[in-house]
Amino acid sequence: MHLSITKTDPSDAILLSEYGRAIQPPVYQMSNDSLLLLRQKRTLLRQYQNRTADAAASSTA
């Protein structure tokens, strides 16, 4: 594992590619389309809740 204070997308991409090359994890297979749709909806709901909370916080500040 590489320890780094720098947090950027390019450096993260390099570390992820090195991990994949070294570990060669198995390819993840989604069990079915319904589960994928449910996870997408959960992600959208979380994003909506975060934006709503951010908007409420900025309007009171």
Side-chain angles (χ1 to χ4, degrees), residues 6 11 15 17 20 24 35 38-40 43-44 51-52 57:
T6 307
S11 65
L15 288 175
S17 66
Q24 295 187 356
L35 184 56
L38 180 61
R39 287 181 177 170
Q40 289 172 338
T43 298
L44 288 172
R51 287 184 182 194
T52 303

Side-chain angles (χ1 to χ4, degrees), residues 1-2 14-25:
M1 186 57 138
H2 297 278
I14 291 169
L15 288 175
L16 286 171
S17 66
E18 289 174 357
Y19 171 81
R21 229 185 338 260
I23 304 300
Q24 295 187 356

